[in-house]
Amino acid sequence: MVIYMGKNMSRKAQSIFTLSNLIKLVAIIAIYLVIMAVMEGDFATRHFKSLLVPIGINIILAVSLNITTGFLGELSLGHAGFMAIGAYSGALFTIFAENHTGLPAPLAFLLGIIIGGIMAAIFGVVIGIPVLRLKGDYLAIVTLAFGEIVRAIINFLGVTGGAKGLNGIPRYTNYKWTYAMVIITIILLSNFVKSRHGRVISSIRDNAIASESIGIKVSNYKIMAFVIAAFFAGVAGVLFGSNLSILKPGNFDYNKSIEILVIVVLGGMGSIKGSVIAAIVLTLLPEFLRGASNYRMLLYALALIIIMLFNSSEIRQRLEDSGKLPRLPKLKARVK
Amino acid sequence: MTLVQILSRKKYKIRLNLFAFFGSKGEDSGKSELAYEDIEEKGWLGEYRIYDLIFTKGVSMESIIEQFINGLRSGSIYALIALGYTMVYGIAKMINFAHGDIIMVGAYVLYVSITDFKMPVIAAVIFTIAICALLGIFIEKVAYKPLRKAPPLAVLITAIGVSYLLQSVAQLIFTANSITFKSIINLEAVHIGGITIPGITIVTLVVTSVCMIALTLFINKTKMGSAMRAVSEDKAAAQLMGINVNRTISVTFAIGSALAAVAGIMFICQFQSIKPTLGALPGIKAFVAAVLGGIGSVPGAMLGGVLLGVIESLSKAYLSTELSDAIVFGVLVIVLLVKPSGLLGKNRIEKV
Amino acid sequence: MKKTFKKVVSLGLLGALVVASLAGCGTKNTGAGDGTFLIGGLGPLTGAAASYGISVKQGAEVAIEEINAAGGVKVGDTSLQLKLQFEDDEADGDTASAAYNTLMDKGIQALLGTVTSGAGLAIADQTNADGILQITPSGSAKDLTKNPNAFRLCFTDPLQGETMAKYAVETLGLKKVALLYNNSDDYSTGVAEAFESKVKELGGEVVAKEAFVTDAVDFTTQLTSIKGTDAQIIFAPVYYQDAAYITTQASELGMTLPFIGSDGWDGVLDKVVDKKVLEGAVFLSPFLATDPDTAVQSFVTKYKEKYNATPDQFAADGYDTVYVIKAALEKAGKTDSKDLIKAMTEIEVKGLTGTVTFDASGEPNKGAKFVEIKNGEYASKTVE
């Protein structure tokens, strides 16, 4: 299963040196310079600087969850489980590398990230298989069960430190690594959803039976979506662990999966840009409302309900028709 | 441990090293020893002896029966909750994620009505059940009905939102700390042979059985019950037959929520403590029970609930407490892999 | 065109948000030179562990009021007034990290926190990098004090485990003990492990070792298992809510074994319906509000006046930590973190939770107080 990145195989191979790509490259570098100035300089508070990494991590998590929930159209409530697997694998590796090998830190970290992503991706296959035949409600519950099973097992195993948590993770994460990972994630996933495989996955969301009937192996693509989402969740997990230097199973519970889901829903399912913006907003907002964190849960819950109701309501129909709001990707209609 | 040894009622300690199958302790693989040994051993990945799933417990007949009865009790509560899930799924074709949290609402309402409003016990119980039933109807009308034609993903997310909403409102009103609550049931424990059955267990078993019988009679013998069965078979046809589908769905939610209220009352009389996250985990486990028994099937929910309770209790006692939750979820995965329609369910054919 | 409009609007909003967060910038007061010493506080003020953080904050505030009213802290040849800036960390590592940075932006000169272990471990390296004096009033994980800048006021888990093991095996002479603990909580696991090894060392036997996970409410399985063994006493190093469930359910199952616990039991009387199930239970606590000692009673009175509630051990911990910082300031004669850290090993403070000195590894040396529940009340118990 080869994934073509950035190239549209149904047409003649196009050069990647287009004008729009060049503009994007300049923008990426420009943003990096701005971030570097902010971080190294004295303009911003320590508080703000410390938020850059969590923002990046949340962006990666939200964009990867969007692949399953927004593009494949299946609710995955176990995303935190993938993050946990990646986090612990990467952390164990970096701890091992630091204490037992002479690997230079950047190399060890890079390997840690890759290992974390791959381990999570492996479990993406593990969960992909049971959910092959499932849809909708059942699939969501199985992903939820998966997340809880992962957490219970991490709690149980000795090598992960159990409930006490995994301590002493070398703190490699900094804004440079995070920014790099965020950009890589966004580029890879944007290209993926525009590629042939990505469009197949979207078509499954729109009408699975129709897709099946034209010869698409739905199950393969379902697994693909889960694996890719899991990989990036794992990467985010490794960044998370190396930022806090301690990992506890409690960090990756059902609530965490819901938090990421709220970001995806808020940003718009099926919209990567939306996920990015929503991730930034929802990471910064709680910091300003820190005294009102009791209300935060309430606000998230209301946001979920209201957005869902609004999306399906007649008001939205009218707004869409008059062109004021972009049409949402049509999610899979209910089968009677 | 052989049957003879169980029946002879002597206490034996079993040592069963499951991970020896994978490790270097070849000579111990698969053997169970009737001896008590120091369990300070090295696991196969190092000093973490947690890898050895060794359990040494006094396994007497009385003990097994008591654990079994514990399982029946928690299983009957799961059954009550599972009934709500299964009925709603059969009729409205959705999983009401917020169902587990209705238990929590019932618990708080009972607490408030007895402590703050000072109602007499019977009135408080009826009040609690009524409020929960109304809440169920309200949630359906406000959050689920507008989404009847929407994709299932939207309904799922909304249901999660409702669940979270209930929890956060409860947390705002009552704070996240747990509230102690004196049980309204004061029955003495019963002692049979060497077994002690707490009074609350007996009451729970009786009440849940009564509820299940009443529900079965209702579904099979009343007009509304037939309407419910009709709508769950084929909504469009039922409507053509003149059945008021909206009313039927509302009644379904009301009954499901009322049962959840009863489950909540039983729950807090047992544990005598209420907090906002009370309903979340039992709710999910009850859902697993409903799937196990066959979602959409009322007797299936009852069977699944009791079965799951017993599985949970025995695995907590004799395998591992930490992994008992994982085992419960593992049951879910296995059922969905092997027989997705559950034990008593029917296969649904999907029409294009 | 509509699409670009929406893009512009959303990017504009985003930009505004980012600028707003930057706006609280650049102001890095050092807090020095204006006659005050700023203590930063870090603990959960919201969420499930909120009661602990709130207690610590309030206890600290009582101490600060007292000290300032008496003229402040004598540092060198000036007197400084104390100020407390307490931030909410929600007992979560991520939030603690951001909150700590907020405190540093405000120019704190010493850190009273964190209240919970998980949050503390997440910022331990950061506080060390900044070299700021950090004293945790109530965090019990061993690694909290691994860095030279960090100290601890409360008991360590190993100490509690060993003390209770000695109590059970030597004082009470009971050799067969049952252990019921929360193996998804580092506090409970830490105490349980120390207890188990000490019991074995003293010649006792742990005949039953049952575990549960956080948020469990049903302990009947574990208690039934214990019932089937020949245990003579049950040790449950758990928090008071779990202790309440456990003792209640044990009584329902008809069990009559005595219970011993750790300092997490403090407050258990409020959580049981029938206080009789707790009769005779013994646990460790650094602080007892009914202790007739004058210092304790004066604290309890002031706390009740200010907050209309009885202080618990966390409030006492907060109070004592402030006094420890005061002692360090007085000893060092300067406000530099380096000097304060050095002074920590040279001071002795007589606090509400006992007389305490600190060793170089950051651990406190102080005795443990036993509490017994007699007639539905907490009573101080002397054990030789």
Side-chain angles (χ1 to χ4, degrees):
Chain A
M1 201 162 59
V2 179
I3 299 178
Y4 300 105
M5 295 295 178
K7 298 204 177 120
N8 217 322
M9 288 308 285
S10 59
R11 297 184 214 159
K12 287 207 301 270
Q14 291 174 328
S15 166
I16 61 170
F17 294 109
T18 57
L19 182 64
S20 73
N21 278 355
L22 202 60
I23 294 180
K24 285 186 197 149
L25 184 64
V26 170
I28 292 175
I29 296 181
I31 297 179
Y32 178 71
L33 289 175
V34 168
I35 293 181
M36 191 167 76
V38 164
M39 289 301 273
E40 306 287 348
D42 255 351
F43 311 129
T45 57
R46 273 182 68 144
H47 183 204
F48 184 73
K49 289 184 196 173
S50 73
L51 289 176
L52 244 42
V53 169
I55 290 178
I57 294 177
N58 280 341
I59 292 180
I60 301 179
L61 285 171
V63 172
S64 55
L65 181 62
N66 217 337
I67 299 289
T68 34
T69 304
F71 290 98
L72 180 64
E74 297 288 4
L75 185 58
S76 171
L77 292 174
H79 211 59
F82 293 127
M83 185 187 175
I85 293 171
Y88 275 94
S89 321
L92 285 171
F93 176 77
T94 48
I95 292 179
F96 172 76
E98 164 150 317
N99 295 335
H100 297 282
T101 67
L103 281 175
L107 186 58
F109 193 40
L110 186 63
L111 281 177
I113 291 179
I114 295 177
I115 289 179
I118 291 182
M119 285 299 289
I122 292 177
F123 278 84
V125 178
V126 167
I127 193 186
I129 295 178
V131 306
L132 281 183
R133 289 188 278 162
L134 305 174
K135 292 191 283 298
D137 307 342
Y138 284 139
L139 192 146
I141 295 285
V142 168
T143 56
L144 175 66
F146 169 75
E148 289 297 307
I149 292 179
V150 164
R151 197 167 58 86
I153 293 185
I154 290 181
N155 218 355
F156 175 74
L157 291 181
V159 71
T160 55
K164 289 209 197 96
L166 191 60
N167 217 343
I169 308 173
R171 305 192 77 218
Y172 291 142
T173 311
N174 58 23
Y175 71 93
K176 300 182 195 157
W177 277 101
T178 312
Y179 183 72
M181 285 298 128
V182 167
I183 293 297
I184 292 177
T185 306
I186 295 181
I187 292 180
L188 286 180
L189 289 181
S190 304
N191 283 326
F192 176 71
V193 299
K194 283 187 255 172
S195 77
R196 178 172 177 273
H197 296 277
R199 284 181 284 139
V200 168
I201 289 180
S202 302
S203 76
I204 296 176
R205 170 193 68 203
D206 293 335
N207 198 327
I209 297 180
S211 311
E212 187 101 45
S213 67
I214 61 170
I216 292 179
K217 278 205 155 21
V218 169
S219 38
N220 283 358
Y221 286 92
K222 257 186 173 161
I223 295 188
M224 189 193 297
F226 268 97
V227 164
I228 290 181
F231 178 83
F232 287 99
V235 167
V238 179
L239 291 174
F240 179 79
S242 270
N243 190 34
L244 277 187
S245 90
I246 174 177
L247 283 177
K248 293 184 102 166
N251 287 350
F252 305 106
D253 61 358
Y254 171 71
N255 288 321
K256 182 90 189 162
S257 293
I258 296 286
E259 274 175 33
I260 311 173
L261 180 68
V262 171
I263 297 179
V264 173
V265 169
L266 196 62
M269 292 186 281
S271 158
I272 291 188
K273 283 193 209 97
S275 295
V276 172
I277 296 179
I280 299 178
V281 169
L282 284 183
T283 313
L284 288 178
L285 215 49
E287 286 300 317
F288 293 114
L289 300 178
R290 202 170 316 127
S293 83
N294 276 336
Y295 289 93
R296 189 172 71 227
M297 205 179 162
L298 182 67
L299 286 174
Y300 281 4
L302 282 174
L304 278 180
I305 299 176
I306 293 177
I307 291 179
M308 280 297 120
L309 285 177
F310 177 67
N311 278 348
S312 319
S313 68
E314 292 172 353
I315 309 175
R316 194 186 172 97
Q317 273 304 113
R318 272 187 260 137
L319 283 176
E320 271 182 13
D321 288 336
S322 68
K324 288 218 177 69
L325 284 178
R327 283 193 185 276
L328 277 185
K330 275 228 166 313
L331 299 176
K332 214 162 28 157
R334 272 219 250 185
V335 177
K336 272 264 166 115
Chain B
M1 206 164 82
T2 68
L3 194 58
V4 169
Q5 283 155 347
I6 298 178
L7 291 179
S8 67
R9 295 197 174 200
K10 295 218 194 89
K11 286 191 195 179
Y12 286 94
K13 302 210 172 148
I14 309 177
R15 178 176 166 273
L16 183 64
N17 188 338
L18 292 182
F19 279 86
F21 288 130
F22 306 114
S24 53
K25 302 192 273 298
E27 71 277 10
D28 274 358
S29 294
K31 260 209 298 211
S32 22
E33 293 177 26
L34 291 179
Y36 181 69
E37 280 182 34
D38 196 331
I39 55 177
E40 294 285 348
E41 289 188 11
K42 286 189 185 290
W44 67 290
L45 265 190
E47 311 84 44
Y48 306 103
R49 64 176 172 78
I50 304 175
Y51 274 78
D52 283 342
L53 262 190
I54 300 177
F55 55 97
T56 55
K57 309 236 166 121
V59 194
S60 66
M61 191 61 170
E62 289 89 351
S63 192
I64 299 183
I65 295 184
E66 279 181 348
Q67 301 285 23
F68 186 77
I69 296 183
N70 283 340
L72 281 182
R73 183 206 33 143
S74 54
S76 55
I77 295 187
Y78 291 148
L80 272 189
I81 309 171
L83 281 170
Y85 274 117
T86 229
M87 287 196 305
V88 165
Y89 191 82
I91 295 195
K93 300 282 182 286
M94 67 161 288
I95 298 181
N96 184 7
F97 250 97
H99 192 62
D101 298 287
I102 309 245
I103 307 169
M104 177 259 302
V105 171
Y108 274 115
V109 170
L110 185 69
Y111 164 74
V112 164
S113 51
I114 291 192
T115 319
D116 291 337
F117 299 163
K118 305 251 188 291
M119 291 182 176
V121 169
I122 307 272
V125 168
I126 297 180
F127 180 66
T128 306
I129 296 181
I131 293 275
C132 286
L134 287 173
L135 181 64
I137 299 179
F138 177 74
I139 292 177
E140 197 270 322
K141 287 241 178 305
V142 168
Y144 300 149
K145 185 155 171 240
L147 297 174
R148 280 218 197 130
K149 298 215 173 46
L153 186 61
V155 184
L156 256 172
I157 296 182
T158 310
I160 293 177
V162 173
S163 159
Y164 236 49
L165 185 69
L166 291 174
Q167 285 184 31
S168 52
V169 168
Q171 193 163 322
L172 279 174
I173 302 180
F174 296 104
T175 80
N177 289 332
S178 54
I179 301 180
T180 327
F181 173 78
K182 182 162 170 48
S183 168
I184 53 178
I185 297 171
N186 292 310
L187 199 63
E188 281 294 318
V190 164
H191 302 270
I192 309 178
I195 307 170
T196 308
I197 308 180
I200 182 71
T201 303
I202 300 178
V203 174
T204 307
L205 290 170
V206 166
V207 167
T208 49
S209 312
V210 165
C211 283
M212 292 196 249
I213 296 175
L215 184 67
T216 315
L217 286 174
F218 179 82
I219 291 192
N220 290 330
K221 299 267 194 276
T222 66
K223 202 159 141 211
M224 179 51 85
S226 318
M228 283 163 60
R229 276 184 291 142
V231 172
S232 79
E233 285 270 347
D234 192 332
K235 207 194 299 187
Q239 196 152 24
L240 288 174
M241 288 285 143
I243 294 178
N244 185 339
V245 169
N246 284 340
R247 185 139 60 94
T248 311
I249 294 184
S250 294
V251 168
T252 310
F253 269 85
I255 298 181
S257 305
L259 288 175
V262 173
I265 298 176
M266 289 292 113
F267 205 82
I268 52 166
C269 287
Q270 164 90 31
F271 299 113
Q272 305 194 67
S273 166
I274 319 170
K275 59 181 180 169
T277 49
L278 174 79
L281 200 55
I284 297 198
K285 291 192 187 160
F287 176 76
V288 176
V291 170
L292 173 63
I295 197 144
S297 152
V298 166
M302 299 184 202
L303 176 66
V306 173
L307 200 57
L308 193 72
V310 171
I311 293 177
E312 188 193 12
S313 181
L314 293 179
S315 58
K316 243 209 286 195
Y318 301 117
L319 282 179
S320 157
T321 14
E322 310 89 298
L323 290 184
S324 73
D325 279 355
I327 292 174
V328 164
F329 289 123
V331 165
L332 175 71
V333 176
I334 293 176
V335 167
L336 287 177
L337 279 178
V338 170
K339 188 170 194 278
S341 52
L343 291 172
L344 298 181
K346 351 176 221 305
N347 273 313
R348 284 195 313 149
I349 306 173
E350 214 181 285
K351 303 200 194 96
V352 181
Chain C
M1 279 303 116
K2 296 266 160 55
K3 247 181 112 176
T4 39
F5 176 70
K6 184 158 187 278
K7 245 199 260 184
V8 167
V9 166
S10 56
L11 279 177
L13 279 174
L14 183 64
L17 191 60
V18 170
V19 167
S21 39
L22 273 177
C25 73
T27 49
K28 288 197 189 72
N29 18 349
T30 49
D34 53 348
T36 61
F37 183 84
L38 184 59
I39 302 179
L42 207 49
L45 297 177
T46 54
S51 66
Y52 304 136
I54 295 177
S55 285
V56 166
K57 173 167 176 271
Q58 292 177 172
E61 282 170 349
V62 170
I64 288 185
E65 245 177 49
E66 236 176 52
I67 295 177
N68 286 345
V73 182
K74 195 151 176 11
V75 182
D77 41 2
T78 49
S79 266
L80 293 179
Q81 295 277 297
L82 292 177
K83 239 176 82 142
L84 177 69
Q85 176 71 34
F86 204 98
E87 290 287 336
D88 184 5
D89 69 2
E90 295 174 25
D92 171 60
D94 246 343
T95 321
S97 192
Y100 170 69
N101 282 307
T102 315
L103 285 177
M104 288 307 282
D105 283 332
K106 299 211 160 93
I108 58 168
Q109 295 163 280
L111 181 61
L112 193 159
T114 57
V115 171
T116 57
S117 298
L121 289 167
I123 62 168
D125 287 331
Q126 290 176 57
T127 61
N128 190 34
D130 291 323
I132 190 171
L133 169 67
Q134 177 182 13
I135 309 180
T136 168
S138 49
S140 58
K142 209 161 46 77
D143 279 343
L144 283 176
T145 51
K146 66 180 176 182
N147 293 324
N149 72 317
F151 294 83
R152 185 205 317 270
L153 180 74
C154 62
F155 297 139
T156 53
D157 304 335
L159 177 70
Q160 290 199 56
E162 287 171 14
T163 310
M164 288 320 266
K166 282 208 282 239
Y167 177 72
V169 178
E170 288 182 349
T171 315
L172 293 180
L174 299 173
K175 292 243 185 318
K176 292 188 186 288
V177 296
L179 180 54
L180 177 54
Y181 71 108
N182 179 345
N183 71 350
S184 63
D185 175 67
D186 38 17
Y187 160 72
S188 192
T189 323
V191 180
E193 279 172 3
F195 176 81
E196 199 183 353
S197 20
K198 193 73 180 174
V199 162
K200 291 212 180 98
E201 199 187 295
L202 295 173
E205 191 188 340
V206 177
V207 296
K209 188 171 168 194
E210 295 292 331
F212 61 93
V213 292
T214 312
D215 285 340
V217 294
D218 188 348
F219 301 88
T220 47
T221 310
Q222 293 91 332
L223 287 168
T224 309
S225 292
I226 294 180
K227 197 171 160 202
T229 66
D230 51 355
Q232 299 164 297
I233 183 169
I234 305 180
F235 178 50
V238 300
Y239 288 110
Y240 55 85
Q241 178 60 70
D242 302 317
Y245 286 136
I246 291 174
T247 45
T248 310
Q249 291 168 23
S251 137
E252 275 170 13
L253 289 174
M255 292 171 76
T256 51
L257 292 178
F259 274 97
I260 47 176
S262 57
D263 66 352
W265 278 55
D266 191 18
V268 66
L269 277 174
D270 289 329
K271 294 290 173 186
V272 290
V273 172
D274 182 4
K275 301 201 173 27
K276 281 207 297 304
V277 308
L278 286 170
E279 193 64 26
V282 173
F283 58 95
L284 289 176
S285 173
F287 171 76
L288 200 56
T290 50
D291 192 339
D293 176 81
T294 26
V296 172
Q297 285 311 308
S298 140
F299 170 65
V300 172
T301 319
K302 286 196 187 140
Y303 193 93
K304 272 197 181 135
E305 252 174 51
K306 206 167 142 112
Y307 301 111
N308 204 13
T310 316
D312 58 11
Q313 55 169 292
F314 289 91
D317 285 333
Y319 180 92
D320 277 355
T321 309
V322 171
Y323 272 93
V324 167
I325 296 179
K326 169 172 180 282
L329 276 169
E330 287 171 345
K331 184 83 184 164
K334 293 197 254 198
T335 59
D336 269 1
S337 297
K338 271 198 321 301
D339 302 307
L340 291 176
I341 293 173
K342 186 159 159 302
M344 284 293 288
T345 49
E346 299 165 7
I347 54 176
E348 181 185 285
V349 181
K350 186 169 180 319
L352 300 174
T353 59
T355 307
V356 60
T357 58
F358 298 92
D359 61 27
S361 67
E363 296 299 341
N365 300 312
K366 68 187 206 188
K369 295 189 195 171
F370 282 83
V371 174
E372 183 181 5
I373 297 189
K374 263 219 273 268
N375 299 327
E377 304 263 328
Y378 300 114
S380 168
K381 186 182 173 72
T382 28
V383 171
E384 100 303 332

